Amino acid sequence: GRDYATNILFGAYYGASLVAVTEISSAAALGIPLLTGGLWALGPVMVPKKYENINRSVIRASNTGKFLGLIYGGSLALMIGGDQDYTGQLALGLSTLGSIALGEVGFKLQKKRNFSEGHIELISHYGTIGPWLAGASLGAAGSENPNLYGAAFLAGGVGGILVANNVSRKYDYTKGDVNNISAMSLATTGIGFAIFAETLQNDASSAVLLIPAAGTVLGTILGQKAVKGVYLNKKQGSTIALSTGGAALVGLGMAAIFETDSPTLWVGIPSVLALATQQILFNKYKKDNLAGNLLSKINKDKPYRFTMKVTPENYFVNQRMIVPSGIIGINSNVSNPLVNLKLAF
């Protein structure tokens, strides 16, 4: 449902871009975006053969291509137009063309080669942070040329996709893994911006822009290293992503309640809470998944099934239990087990 809704929004954007570029001011200014949004939703009806034998990952790959196409098309417009008056309209037009083109590329490639969902999500992640890192590096160098920024964004995006493909060949990340990587990367980037805001008060050098960029790189690398062997599922990954975002909103609420004027706190509190939430949930799921993987290896191709449940909280329960009178034996203490082992044939 989310992917189909996203597809409709892209169609509406294409119509709105057409209205802006052609400067239509009549009632069609509202009707065209609605019309194009509806047409993109009617794709399976209008071109049924194109949508035969597809799965959800094909739609996801297509939407990923559309999103990245918006960024790269706008970057190309900035590279060509710079600070000219027509750059805004050119950006709308080229972002639409780029989105449609890369959306089709993503659709056809996924339908033909059937990449894993983790591969698609990794392309989305690297394809997004690539332009940011390239732009931050150029900004740290002190450049003010908009044409160069457009070229840097475009080169960073292409480089990001190439890196994502290379990383995916070395390890098969799940969709949940990449959700966790993205959540951690966003949190560390936010912490980097908090340090950037604090440093900027004492050092006005543009080089400090490398601090949040380093936070992005660090969060991505550490996140990739941490998830190896964990294999987070979709539910776990989405829970981490949503909870991390929720923690960030709580942090913003706290900053608003305290009426702080410090930009460092406005960015730092949400980022720290987001990172803490991400780490707590990830480590919980990691423990659960690794225990499950171990039991799967023990039970593989065996005529029995071995299960284990660890309940450390029973230690505190046992301390409060009263020993019944009249019980005589080697171990007269009544207690709940800390570890439950079960062997079924």
Side-chain angles (χ1 to χ4, degrees):
R2 181 194 68 178
D3 291 322
Y4 282 118
T6 301
N7 193 42
I8 295 173
L9 289 176
F10 278 120
Y13 174 83
Y14 304 152
S17 297
L18 177 62
V19 169
V21 170
T22 56
E23 298 182 347
I24 297 175
S25 57
S26 62
L30 176 62
I32 290 177
L34 296 175
L35 175 65
T36 53
L39 288 175
W40 255 258
L42 290 172
V45 177
M46 298 172 62
V47 195
K49 288 187 177 181
K50 176 183 176 182
Y51 289 85
E52 287 180 353
N53 302 319
I54 69 168
N55 54 31
R56 181 182 179 277
S57 67
V58 176
I59 300 298
R60 178 58 181 161
S62 177
N63 284 345
T64 297
K66 289 172 185 175
F67 173 71
L68 296 180
L70 288 178
I71 300 174
Y72 303 160
S75 300
L76 179 61
L78 184 61
M79 182 180 72
I80 296 172
D83 57 1
Q84 300 297 321
D85 294 336
Y86 60 81
T87 301
Q89 288 184 314
L90 184 63
L92 288 172
L94 290 183
S95 65
T96 294
L97 293 176
S99 180
I100 294 173
L102 285 188
E104 286 301 305
V105 169
F107 187 99
K108 292 180 179 178
L109 276 178
Q110 181 63 12
K111 187 176 180 180
K112 180 180 179 181
R113 302 184 63 178
N114 193 28
F115 295 106
S116 68
E117 289 189 328
H119 189 132
I120 297 170
E121 296 301 322
L122 206 60
I123 287 178
S124 178
H125 177 76
Y126 272 96
T128 304
I129 69 172
W132 146 242
L133 294 176
S137 300
L138 189 60
S143 175
E144 297 181 358
N145 188 326
N147 303 86
L148 286 179
Y149 275 101
F153 293 150
L154 191 58
V158 174
I161 292 177
L162 294 176
V163 171
N165 281 323
N166 185 50
V167 171
S168 293
R169 281 196 295 267
K170 294 180 179 178
Y171 182 82
D172 188 20
Y173 293 93
T174 67
K175 186 177 185 296
D177 289 340
V178 183
N179 283 342
N180 179 71
I181 293 169
S182 297
M184 185 173 182
S185 179
L186 283 172
T188 53
T189 301
I191 292 174
F193 269 111
I195 299 173
F196 164 79
E198 185 67 24
T199 306
L200 202 61
Q201 297 178 11
N202 302 317
D203 182 6
S205 172
S206 57
V208 297
L209 192 58
L210 290 175
I211 297 175
T216 303
V217 174
L218 187 64
T220 297
I221 293 175
L222 292 179
Q224 287 177 192
K225 184 177 179 181
V227 298
K228 286 187 176 180
V230 179
Y231 302 110
L232 296 170
N233 59 42
K234 295 179 185 179
K235 182 178 180 180
Q236 291 172 334
S238 63
T239 300
I240 290 174
L242 289 173
S243 299
T244 300
L249 288 176
V250 170
L252 285 174
M254 292 173 62
I257 291 173
F258 294 143
E259 298 182 349
T260 178
D261 295 327
S262 171
T264 303
L265 294 179
W266 272 102
V267 180
I269 294 176
S271 300
V272 170
L273 287 180
L275 182 60
T277 302
Q278 179 269 328
Q279 285 294 301
I280 291 171
L281 285 174
F282 170 69
N283 283 290
K284 175 185 180 300
Y285 292 142
K286 179 180 179 180
K287 179 181 177 182
D288 293 342
N289 290 7
L290 291 180
N293 292 339
L294 176 61
L295 292 175
S296 296
K297 292 178 180 178
I298 293 175
N299 294 323
K300 186 178 180 181
D301 301 326
K302 299 294 190 303
Y304 57 80
R305 181 167 184 81
F306 177 77
T307 58
M308 177 178 65
K309 183 178 181 181
V310 181
T311 52
E313 65 274 10
N314 282 346
Y315 172 81
F316 300 101
V317 175
N318 295 338
Q319 300 302 310
R320 301 177 64 87
M321 291 182 66
I322 301 174
V323 179
S325 59
I327 294 181
I328 301 175
I330 298 175
N331 183 12
S332 59
N333 292 330
V334 179
S335 62
N336 296 304
L338 302 182
V339 179
N340 286 286
L341 303 177
K342 183 178 180 182
L343 188 63
F345 293 92

